[in-house]
Amino acid sequence: MELGNTWSLEEALSGDYDGVYIADGHGALWDISTDPHIGKLLYRCLIDETPVAMVGHGVAALATLYKLRQQDMQGLRVTCFTDTEEALLKRHHEVPFSLKEQLTGFGADVNQAIIPFSPHMEVDGIFITGQNPASSAMTARALTGRLELAHAN
C-alpha cells in the first residue's frame, strides 16, 4: 500500500522532483511555516529551478526559506490567504500571524484579489502561488503546464 510507505520530509529531501505542490490549510501557519525541512526543500528547488506551487496558507512555506537562508524575497510577487478572508471565517483571532504581513516583512510583493474568496494566482520565477482554495485548480494547472513544457523540451 503506497500510503503506508510515505516519506518524511527529511527523507524527501534526498529525492529528485519535477515539481512541488503545497496545499492550503490553517495548520500550515503552525507547522509548515516553522519546519526547516520545508526550507531546505524550497532552497533545493531554487537551485535546481524546480517549480513550486503553493495555495492559501501553504504559502507560509516561504517563511522557512527566508528564515533558513535569509533568502532575499525583495519584490517577489506572491499571493496568499488574506486577512479579510481570515476575518470573514472568524479565524483572525486564532491564527498565530498575518501571512500577508509576514511575507511583506520579508520583502515580498503580496497581491490579492479585491473580492474575498475569488480565485487569484501569481507566478514569479519558480514560485506559483494561489490565494485561497478557489485558486487551487488554476494553481495546479499552472504547475502541470510547467511540467508538461519541461518534459516536451
Side-chain angles (χ1 to χ4, degrees):
M1 176 178 198
E2 291 295 318
L3 293 177
N5 296 316
T6 56
W7 295 347
S8 69
L9 278 172
E10 192 169 357
E11 292 168 320
L13 288 175
S14 64
D16 193 17
Y17 306 99
D18 292 333
V20 173
Y21 185 92
I22 301 174
D24 189 15
H26 279 92
L29 298 178
W30 283 270
D31 53 17
I32 288 178
S33 69
T34 60
D35 191 318
H37 296 104
I38 292 282
K40 291 175 186 174
L41 178 66
L42 293 182
Y43 186 68
R44 181 166 178 201
C45 288
L46 270 174
I47 291 169
D48 296 341
E49 297 183 9
T50 302
V52 178
M54 299 168 274
V55 176
H57 298 92
V59 182
L62 288 172
T64 62
L65 178 61
Y66 181 82
K67 292 172 186 173
L68 177 74
R69 301 283 181 175
Q70 291 298 304
Q71 186 66 39
D72 181 20
M73 292 190 192
Q74 197 62 43
L76 177 68
R77 283 186 340 271
V78 297
T79 190
C80 62
F81 206 78
T82 71
D83 294 339
T84 300
E85 290 167 335
E86 294 288 11
L88 289 169
L89 291 177
K90 300 186 185 335
R91 296 280 176 100
H92 57 293
H93 296 298
E94 298 171 18
V95 296
F97 57 88
S98 162
L99 188 48
K100 179 181 180 179
E101 287 179 18
Q102 185 177 67
L103 293 168
T104 302
F106 297 154
D109 179 14
V110 181
N111 299 293
Q112 299 172 316
I114 295 170
I115 300 171
F117 303 108
S118 296
H120 180 76
M121 180 181 70
E122 294 287 332
V123 179
D124 193 347
I126 68 163
F127 297 115
I128 305 164
T129 55
Q131 180 171 316
N132 51 38
S135 311
S136 298
M138 69 174 24
T139 304
R141 280 192 298 273
L143 176 61
T144 57
R146 284 252 180 117
L147 297 175
E148 288 170 355
L149 184 61
H151 287 288
N153 294 329

